[in-house]
Amino acid sequence: MKALTEQNRFKTISAPVLLVFLLFFHCTGSPQPSEEFKKQREQMVKWQIEARGVTDKRVLDAMRKVERHLFVPSELAAYAYADQPLPVGYNQTISQPYIVAFMTEALKLSPTSKVLEIGTGSGYQAAILAEICDSVFSVEIVNELGTKAKALLKSLNYNNVFIRIGDGYQGWPEYAPFDAIIVTCAPTHVPEPLKEQLVEGGKMIIPVGETNYQELILLVKKKGRLIQQSVLPVRFVPMVDQNKRKY
Ligand code: SAH
């Protein structure tokens, strides 16, 4: 009986004490996870992206703003700002931050650009594009990934991203032509439908090659012809067709 009374008194004292304690640590204790991630994003932009020569302010601002840790599986959030691609399930990956920034800058986008992305994956690249251009049309072949990315982007209020589940080799003819096309999976050749869906003067960036080695190619449409230049050796997941063969 005595013990019980003691315990009750402890309870009544401990509640306010605990509250003060919690408030104290909330204000002065270790930083909140989102602040910590923000710092990591700053570091990522400084050391992985600016240090390698990306200068487009709008691209850098978007990379600083978009919370990459929301686009990776929660158990990998601690690595979200590391200098590497990460698995996102279904044997697919979210690209290395530098590659996302490099490809975005190469397209020289404006606030009025309408962009086609092939390979939605996590939706991260689409979010970066959505920050700096008018609208993003993104095609993903893996239903689960496309559906998940769609829900995530909606929850983050990206109302200018449109996702379709299907084979990106065919592009998205209903919304063509596009001012820019970004392909984030690798075919063995530039798909003919994508060439057709690029506006005159538009740019396309695409990794082309074999499974373990590709060249990132930048194409510009001039007088109906595509002028291409090889810009960087890269390694992307292959572009596949519906029957899981690669293109
Ligand atoms: N841009 C993504 C990373 C893409 S990984 C991001 O920011 O996270 C490459 C993606 O291309 C994978 O999700 C893969 O499923 C998809 N893919 C492969 N072949 C495709 C095809 N033919 N059409 C559309 N998407 C394809």
Side-chain angles (χ1 to χ4, degrees), residues 11-65:
K11 264 188 198 160
T12 51
I13 293 168
S14 65
V17 170
L18 194 68
L19 197 68
V20 171
F21 234 74
L22 284 175
L23 270 173
F24 177 79
F25 276 106
H26 180 77
C27 300
T28 62
S30 57
Q32 295 298 291
S34 62
E35 283 171 29
E36 180 52 37
F37 283 135
K38 189 166 187 283
K39 271 193 215 153
Q40 290 183 20
R41 270 198 305 284
E42 294 287 338
Q43 297 292 307
M44 171 189 87
V45 170
K46 189 168 179 193
W47 298 112
Q48 300 172 32
I49 299 173
E50 283 185 296
R52 290 189 178 116
V54 175
T55 56
D56 186 326
K57 186 172 178 314
R58 297 175 67 236
V59 175
L60 297 173
D61 285 347
M63 298 296 296
R64 266 187 213 107
K65 181 175 171 192

Side-chain angles (χ1 to χ4, degrees), residues 29-221:
S30 57
Q32 295 298 291
S34 62
E35 283 171 29
E36 180 52 37
F37 283 135
K38 189 166 187 283
K39 271 193 215 153
Q40 290 183 20
R41 270 198 305 284
E42 294 287 338
Q43 297 292 307
M44 171 189 87
V45 170
K46 189 168 179 193
W47 298 112
Q48 300 172 32
I49 299 173
E50 283 185 296
R52 290 189 178 116
V54 175
T55 56
D56 186 326
K57 186 172 178 314
R58 297 175 67 236
V59 175
L60 297 173
D61 285 347
M63 298 296 296
R64 266 187 213 107
K65 181 175 171 192
V66 178
E67 300 191 309
R68 185 172 160 95
H69 61 274
L70 302 178
F71 292 82
V72 304
S74 53
E75 64 275 17
L76 296 179
Y79 306 98
Y81 301 100
D83 192 12
Q84 62 183 83
L86 289 172
V88 292
Y90 306 92
N91 282 332
Q92 305 304 328
T93 54
I94 177 173
S95 309
Q96 180 189 4
Y98 167 62
I99 295 295
V100 173
F102 180 89
M103 290 174 80
T104 310
E105 179 175 67
L107 292 173
K108 303 250 186 295
L109 300 166
S110 86
T112 60
S113 303
K114 180 169 81 167
V115 183
L116 172 68
E117 179 193 26
I118 307 302
T120 317
S122 68
Y124 177 70
Q125 172 77 71
I128 296 290
L129 293 167
E131 289 288 338
I132 61 180
C133 60
D134 175 71
S135 45
V136 183
F137 293 81
S138 187
V139 186
E140 170 56 54
I141 204 164
V142 177
N143 184 6
E144 293 83 349
L145 285 174
T147 306
K148 198 170 160 201
K150 200 183 230 177
L152 176 59
L153 290 165
K154 187 163 184 260
S155 76
L156 297 172
N157 290 322
Y158 286 108
N159 300 320
N160 56 343
V161 181
F162 307 93
I163 295 176
R164 181 168 77 83
I165 311 296
D167 184 0
Y169 187 94
Q170 308 303 334
W172 198 334
E174 293 83 352
Y175 290 97
F178 298 96
D179 299 307
I181 300 181
I182 180 167
V183 183
T184 63
C185 46
T188 52
H189 57 277
V190 182
E192 213 50 50
L194 299 187
K195 291 183 188 172
E196 283 158 18
Q197 290 170 32
L198 193 61
V199 81
E200 173 63 29
K203 289 189 167 63
M204 176 177 357
I205 187 127
I206 176 167
V208 178
E210 298 308 319
T211 301
N212 286 320
Y213 178 84
Q214 305 110 24
E215 280 291 326
L216 203 51
I217 310 276
L218 181 64
L219 301 107
V220 187
K221 200 181 237 185

